Every structure is written in C-alpha cells, then in structure tokens.
C-alpha cells in the first residue's frame, strides 16, 4: 500500500463516498431518487449507511462510451432504509439505495485534483475509480460539493 492510500484511509470516517457511473445513469438516479453501483451489486451498497454523503463521478456521458466527461455529476445524502432490489426489466434486477440528491452543477474533476486528499500528488489518480465505490475524507466530499455549488446539511 502506498503512503497516499494509507494516509487517505486513516483520514476517512466512512461517511463520505464516491460512486462511479456514466452520466446518463447518474441523471436517471437523480431524477428518481436512487443510486446503484457496480452493475447493481448489493455488497457495496451495504457499506453505505443512512446519513452518509455520496458524490458520483462520471468518466463518460454514456455507459461503455468512449467520450470523456470526467466530471462529478451528483451529490447527495443517503436516506433511511436498506438496499433493495428493483426490476428494471429484461431480467436485470439491481440493488439500489434511496438518496436525497442536492441541487448542484456537474463539475469537471481536473481543477480539483490537487485539492482532493485521494488525488493530490498522485500520478495515477483514477485508480480507485476502478472499484465502483470508495470511501473518501469528509474534506474531499466538502470540496466536491462546494465546487458543484451544492449545500450539504
């Protein structure tokens, strides 16, 4: 484990998260008040608790798209309740959590990289995004929300 990863982990309260999905999927979740991660798996959603804060990072506009959006596309607070399954049709029944999404504008990650604990001074800053969901410091989520113009309560 490198110094930056261990440093970030020790500063993480477990109450702030970054989830990863295409912008089109995030926008649907915002409109309907839910989040899904890791292609609908339940285990990652069980790590999140009501009251936790989550920001979505979207590497692309569309799922499996080649376009590069690289922006934070949503920020919110997890609502009470456990993960639940939802039938989306065609045999796809992913797990979801309900989220109170906050008003905020989509914001590119590039100008924030040197200000975020998980990416400052890290050449391969995108590595944690491969996991679909990861814990970040509260300070990181505050920085992201402020850049998006969202008010966390």
């Amino acid at each position: 484990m490198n110094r930056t990863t261990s440093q970030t982990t020790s500063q993480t309260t477990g109450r702030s998260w970054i989830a990863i999905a295409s912008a089109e999927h995030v926008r649907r979740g915002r409109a309907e008040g839910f989040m899904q991660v890791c292609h609908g798996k339940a285990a990652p959603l069980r790590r999140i608790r009501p009251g936790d804060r989550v920001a979505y990072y979207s590497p692309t506009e569309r799922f499996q798209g080649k376009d590069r959006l690289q922006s934070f596309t949503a920020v919110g607070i997890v609502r009470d309740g456990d993960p639940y399954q939802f039938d989306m049709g065609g045999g796809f029944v992913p797990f979801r959590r309900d989220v109170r999404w906050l008003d905020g504008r989509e914001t590119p990650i590039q100008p924030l990289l040197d200000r975020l604990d998980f990416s400052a001074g890290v050449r391969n800053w995108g590595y944690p995004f491969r996991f679909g969901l990861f814990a970040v410091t509260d300070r990181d989520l505050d920085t992201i929300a402020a850049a998006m113009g969202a008010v966390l309560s």
Side-chain angles (χ1 to χ4, degrees):
M1 181 179 289
N2 68 37
R3 185 182 68 77
T4 304
T5 303
S6 107
Q7 206 174 31
T8 300
T9 303
S10 69
Q11 297 170 353
T12 301
T13 64
R15 296 195 40 93
S16 294
W17 304 89
I18 293 180
I20 295 81
S22 68
E24 70 179 342
H25 287 176
V26 174
R27 290 179 191 128
R28 179 176 180 179
R30 280 187 70 168
E32 298 179 27
F34 69 86
M35 69 179 292
Q36 289 176 197
V37 294
C38 304
H39 306 290
K41 293 181 180 157
L45 289 178
R46 289 189 188 114
R47 295 171 47 204
I48 300 171
R49 301 283 178 240
D52 285 2
R53 305 171 325 155
V54 62
Y56 258 104
Y57 171 78
S58 298
T60 60
E61 185 69 37
R62 299 192 184 290
F63 178 63
Q64 296 183 336
K66 298 297 179 198
D67 56 327
R68 294 180 77 186
L69 183 61
Q70 294 185 321
S71 292
F72 291 104
T73 49
V75 63
I77 300 169
V78 178
R79 293 185 182 274
D80 287 340
D82 294 322
Y84 60 90
Q85 286 188 285
F86 182 85
D87 189 346
M88 293 185 69
F92 185 47
V93 187
F95 281 85
R96 294 178 170 180
R97 279 202 92 109
D98 291 334
V99 177
R100 179 174 58 89
W101 296 113
L102 306 172
D103 291 332
R105 64 188 166 278
E106 295 183 7
T107 301
I109 192 173
Q110 289 293 333
L112 301 176
L113 289 174
D114 63 341
R115 296 174 29 212
L116 299 171
D117 292 329
F118 78 87
S119 62
V122 179
R123 226 178 73 222
N124 190 12
W125 59 265
Y127 183 77
F129 294 105
R130 296 178 52 203
F131 300 105
L133 177 74
F134 64 99
V136 295
T137 63
D138 290 343
R139 187 178 90 121
D140 277 359
L141 201 63
D142 291 342
T143 299
I144 293 164
M148 295 179 76
V151 178
L152 289 168
S153 50

